[in-house]
Amino acid sequence: MIALVLMLCAFAVGTSEFIVVGVLPEVAGDLDVTLPTAGLLVTAYAVSVAIGGPVLTVLTGRLPRRSLLVAVMVLALLAATACALAPDYATLMAARMVAALSQGLFFAVASQVAVAAVPPEKQTAAIAKIVNGVALSTILGIPIGTLIGQNYGWRASFALVAALTAIGLVGVLAGAPKVEHEPDAGVRASLFAFGRKTVLLGLLTTVLSFTGMITAFTYVAPALRDVTGFSPGWVTGVLLVYGLGTMVGSTFAGRVPPGSIAKVLPIPLAALTVLLLAQGFLLETKVTAVVAVFVLGATAFASGPLLHTFLMGQAGSASGLVASVNISAFNVAAALGPMIGGAVITSGLGVRWTAAVGAVPTVLGVLVALVIGRLVRRGVAPEPAEPALATA
């Protein structure tokens, strides 16, 4: 029950982040700002998540998890409502930054609740459910929100986010149990977790592997249109296949016991690397292009839950902080990927080869993942284990 509730909350929070992308022209026109200025609503959100999430996680480390999760969803609901009602750009920007802070804290708290509410062998599956919510937000929430915004105004898009968040809040109030967690031991003790090699290398793996994946995914729509020859309507359908891949990948990840993650992790990362290297050729035909998009979603969303669960298992009492920093690492990748892809396009190589260039950091991610596996086998770091529990 709680896993489904958290998936719904993640769906709402994930939709909140990128829904503005589809209605940027409408926002710019209505609030009388330039399109680049409106685009800062996306940039400021990502920066706020990356920096504010870990800070708030530390500051709230000793609070009961269920109560904090309720507070986070209330904050997200207020922020979404403020976005829908914002009279000017400055108010919208402020509301977006509040929404970003709630998202950064949500993933840390939700990860802890998910892990604490299930037996150790099901922890990866619980994290995978949260990741599924994020995946659904990209393939359903954002397109639907964009369609609503283009037909009924951009404020209606944020009203949708508010409605989804309200449903998630009701789910938390009705279905989230009081869970036990290891209380935060303080800032110094929490930061000590980052001295562990496996934690630092795991975060590095997140940045490297997802930089490559996002480099490819950012430009997959124009690649399907301009290289493969799909019409715009068919591109939307192919992206739904990507969504199916994400669900398959996260389901696979959910079947991996926490103690086996270090051994399994290089497999989906290596598959992702091979796909990225070959994608320029796979785009030549429509059948292989569809297969490539499916595998892109499956490999990426198999790797994500594995990395997140592994890092939390290695962090001890700092699991919430490390989970939040891992989300920050993902946001770093989300910033780097489009930049790399854009540089590839402007260099003259074209959109066809964005994925192949994106494979360079992913190759490094595979190597780092292999090092993690070796460290765990040698006993340099503890295997993921059930956290020592204290009533919250």
Side-chain angles (χ1 to χ4, degrees):
M1 173 63 178
I2 182 59
L4 294 177
V5 168
L6 293 177
M7 183 173 73
L8 175 60
C9 292
F11 175 71
V13 171
T15 302
S16 174
E17 179 170 6
F18 291 110
I19 198 167
V20 71
V21 174
V23 291
L24 276 181
E26 289 80 4
V27 170
D30 186 48
L31 299 182
D32 195 26
V33 296
T34 65
L35 194 60
T37 299
L40 292 177
L41 293 167
V42 180
T43 304
Y45 192 106
V47 172
S48 297
V49 170
I51 298 175
V55 172
L56 286 180
T57 300
V58 171
L59 294 177
T60 59
R62 293 184 179 275
L63 297 178
R65 299 295 92 180
R66 183 183 186 278
S67 298
L68 183 57
L69 182 59
V70 170
V72 168
M73 293 306 295
V74 169
L75 184 63
L77 175 57
L78 292 174
T81 303
C83 286
L85 300 175
D88 52 42
Y89 177 79
T91 304
L92 180 58
M93 174 64 79
R96 287 280 293 169
M97 294 181 72
V98 172
L101 293 176
S102 66
Q103 176 178 324
L105 185 54
F106 166 79
F107 283 111
V109 180
S111 298
Q112 288 180 306
V113 171
V115 167
V118 298
E121 67 273 12
K122 295 185 178 180
Q123 290 176 354
T124 314
I127 295 297
K129 284 287 194 301
I130 298 176
V131 175
N132 277 343
V134 178
L136 286 173
S137 73
T138 62
I139 62 175
L140 291 178
I142 295 172
I144 292 173
T146 300
L147 183 64
I148 290 174
Q150 290 173 346
N151 286 277
Y152 300 101
W154 64 270
R155 297 180 190 278
S157 296
F158 286 105
L160 171 66
V161 173
L164 293 172
T165 306
I167 295 171
L169 174 59
V170 172
V172 170
L173 290 171
K178 288 185 177 181
V179 298
E180 297 178 331
H181 85 296
E182 189 171 355
D184 187 357
V187 177
R188 292 183 63 183
S190 296
L191 293 177
F192 181 77
F194 293 93
R196 296 180 181 176
K197 292 180 181 179
T198 47
V199 171
L200 291 176
L201 292 175
L203 293 171
L204 179 59
T205 304
T206 294
V207 174
L208 292 172
S209 57
F210 280 95
T211 294
M213 175 266 175
I214 293 172
T215 299
F217 182 71
T218 300
Y219 298 98
V220 71
L224 290 171
R225 184 185 66 241
D226 299 339
V227 179
T228 311
F230 279 110
S231 66
W234 277 101
V235 168
T236 302
V238 176
L239 291 180
L240 290 177
V241 173
Y242 167 84
L244 177 62
T246 66
M247 302 297 289
V248 171
S250 59
T251 300
F252 161 80
R255 297 179 181 276
V256 179
S260 301
I261 290 177
K263 179 174 64 177
V264 174
L265 179 60
I267 298 174
L269 290 179
L272 174 62
T273 301
V274 171
L275 170 72
L276 294 178
L277 289 171
Q279 187 163 313
F281 300 101
L282 295 174
L283 289 170
E284 289 290 342
T285 70
K286 292 182 178 179
V287 172
T288 55
V290 171
V291 172
V293 170
F294 173 86
V295 176
L296 179 65
T299 53
F301 277 77
S303 306
L306 294 178
L307 274 166
H308 203 69
T309 307
F310 174 79
L311 283 166
M312 291 185 68
Q314 297 293 311
S317 62
S319 61
L321 177 59
V322 170
S324 182
V325 172
N326 190 45
I327 298 301
S328 298
F330 179 84
N331 276 276
V332 170
L336 292 175
M339 292 172 57
I340 293 173
V344 172
I345 294 171
T346 56
S347 72
L349 289 175
V351 71
R352 177 197 296 268
W353 302 111
T354 52
V357 175
V360 174
T362 308
V363 168
L364 299 177
V366 173
L367 296 178
V368 176
L370 291 171
V371 172
I372 290 173
R374 183 178 180 185
L375 289 175
V376 171
R377 287 195 301 272
R378 289 171 53 193
V380 173
E383 290 282 358
E386 184 177 10
L389 301 181
T391 301

